[in-house]
Amino acid sequence: MAASRLKQQLDDMDVKVDRQHPLFVYLPCGVGGGPGGVAFGLKTIFKDNVHCFFAEPTHSPCMLLGQITEKHDEIAVQDFGIDNRTAADGLAVGRPSRFVGKTLEGLISGDYTVDDDKLFILLSRLADTEKIWLEPSALAGVYGPVSMLKSEAGQNYLADHGVEAARLANTTHIAWATGGSMVPDEVMADYYRRGVHLKK
Amino acid sequence: MDKIAGKTMDEWKKAFPIIEKIIATEEVFWANPKYSAYDQAMKQIQFNEKDIRDANERLQRFAPYIAKAFPETTETNGIIESPTVPIPAMQHDLEEMFGQSIPGKLLLKCDNSLPISGSIKARGGIYEVLKYTEELAIKHGKLSTDDDYAVLDSEAFRKFYSNYEIAVASTGNLGLSIGIISAKMGFHVTVHMSADARRWKKDLLREKGATVI
């Protein structure tokens, strides 16, 4: 549903999605149900022209480890000595969904991790530049294009999937925000101050 | 040495060197080697277009109720959806901050402003409650799929649903979403939260009529 309505929104904005105009979507991921459902819907609509990536905190990379090892819910981040402590509330999940990891194993393009401090910095910058206030988890998606473009693995992915420079210029990136509007003002102000402080 | 799902830590690191960085909580980008062409990937999946159609029709049936019970959705006729907006200033800021050009256009899908619970969980989380709500009412002969579901926003239905209990365990947006919609429909709803759950979430849920443990 989210996907078919997104297609309508993109059409209304004259944003094309086809082989020459690829779509990259960055979805913050906890146990995997929400982003998995959205990614699946997107693939059924945009097929090979959409590339979906999951985003996780560096301290809770459960879906990433589940997919790399292909052990899904048989492993938890704690098994690898990772503490699962993150300020990104809904993403603080130690063990991923097997259903999502296994079902989507051929449809998800990849996964990346983001440091908590960066989430707060991006939170404050988004508030300053766009006047949009998100919860820390939501910023994991916003880092997606940088994570992909800056890394060798990301560059290799682009080359492997025919997204060379010319097509990259036609790309649409969508960061999927998880939440934020219910966060009380004083809590959001704390998040913001933390981001500003870390940026220094 | 202890094994993790059949391999020792060293064996895992050897098989997948990226795991070393992940354990060190360094930022990584991983491309999925199993990613395949759509048609091929879908062969592995039991996919039923009917499920998506059913869900869509169910949300349409509930739209008059949602529009009535949550006035912030009257503009969208009771459909729970969020805007998608370009964020060019942030795109530029990212480029400067990380010294990385970002060709193309960066958009934000604003599920932070989804009606009712302000998060992506206002999608699947609320849907699950609506599905249960409909099944209960139909089973007891109080509703048919041809009815105007706005009738659900009434004392009679709230009294009916107050005989039922919904419980959810989540410290995050899922608990908020299920708590808010369930309490609105009249259910006894209990949200189990861990001790470190944010205070404001507990307060908000109690204010909406949910029990928080």
Side-chain angles (χ1 to χ4, degrees), chain A residues 9 48 125 150 173 176 181, chain B residues 38 82 84 93 107 111-112:
Chain A
Q9 289 177 333
D48 290 326
R125 294 309 301 153
K150 245 187 148 32
H173 304 273
W176 206 285
S181 66
Chain B
Y38 177 76
S82 73
T84 305
D93 205 66
L107 308 178
D111 273 7
N112 54 300

Side-chain angles (χ1 to χ4, degrees), chain A residues 129-156:
Chain A
T129 55
E130 305 282 353
K131 307 282 169 252
I132 297 173
W133 300 80
L134 301 180
E135 62 184 7
S137 302
L139 279 305
V142 176
Y143 188 61
V146 178
S147 176
M148 176 177 70
L149 293 163
K150 245 187 148 32
S151 70
E152 198 186 328
Q155 289 294 339
N156 289 341

Side-chain angles (χ1 to χ4, degrees), chain A residues 184-195:
Chain A
D185 291 347
E186 65 274 18
V187 176
M188 190 59 89
D190 277 345
Y191 290 159
Y192 177 83
R193 276 194 294 272
R194 191 163 159 192

Side-chain angles (χ1 to χ4, degrees), chain B residues 73-196:
Chain B
T73 65
T74 41
E75 217 175 289
T76 56
N77 299 313
I79 295 298
I80 304 167
E81 196 42 79
S82 73
T84 305
V85 300
I87 47 171
M90 184 64 188
Q91 185 172 355
H92 183 70
D93 205 66
L94 285 169
E95 290 181 317
E96 297 240 302
M97 207 182 331
F98 299 107
Q100 172 64 54
S101 95
I102 303 172
K105 194 181 212 177
L106 177 60
L107 308 178
L108 186 72
K109 181 60 179 165
C110 300
D111 273 7
N112 54 300
S113 60
L114 273 179
I116 303 179
S117 65
S119 80
I120 186 170
K121 300 298 181 190
R123 298 182 184 277
I126 286 179
Y127 176 77
E128 281 303 313
V129 176
L130 296 181
K131 190 162 176 252
Y132 178 58
T133 300
E134 186 182 53
E135 281 165 5
L136 269 182
I138 289 175
K139 194 171 108 192
H140 289 84
K142 291 181 180 298
L143 189 72
S144 98
T145 52
D146 297 327
D147 289 346
D148 178 348
Y149 281 24
V151 296
L152 294 172
D153 186 33
S154 63
E155 273 316 308
F157 270 99
R158 277 189 286 275
K159 191 153 177 283
F160 167 63
Y161 289 123
S162 72
N163 296 310
Y164 298 90
E165 183 138 357
I166 287 180
V168 56
S170 159
T171 52
N173 291 324
L174 184 63
L176 271 187
S177 301
I178 289 184
I180 291 172
I181 184 76
S182 304
K184 191 77 167 182
M185 306 236 41
F187 289 102
H188 277 289
V189 58
T190 310
V191 182
H192 296 263
M193 288 193 154
S194 59
D196 62 344

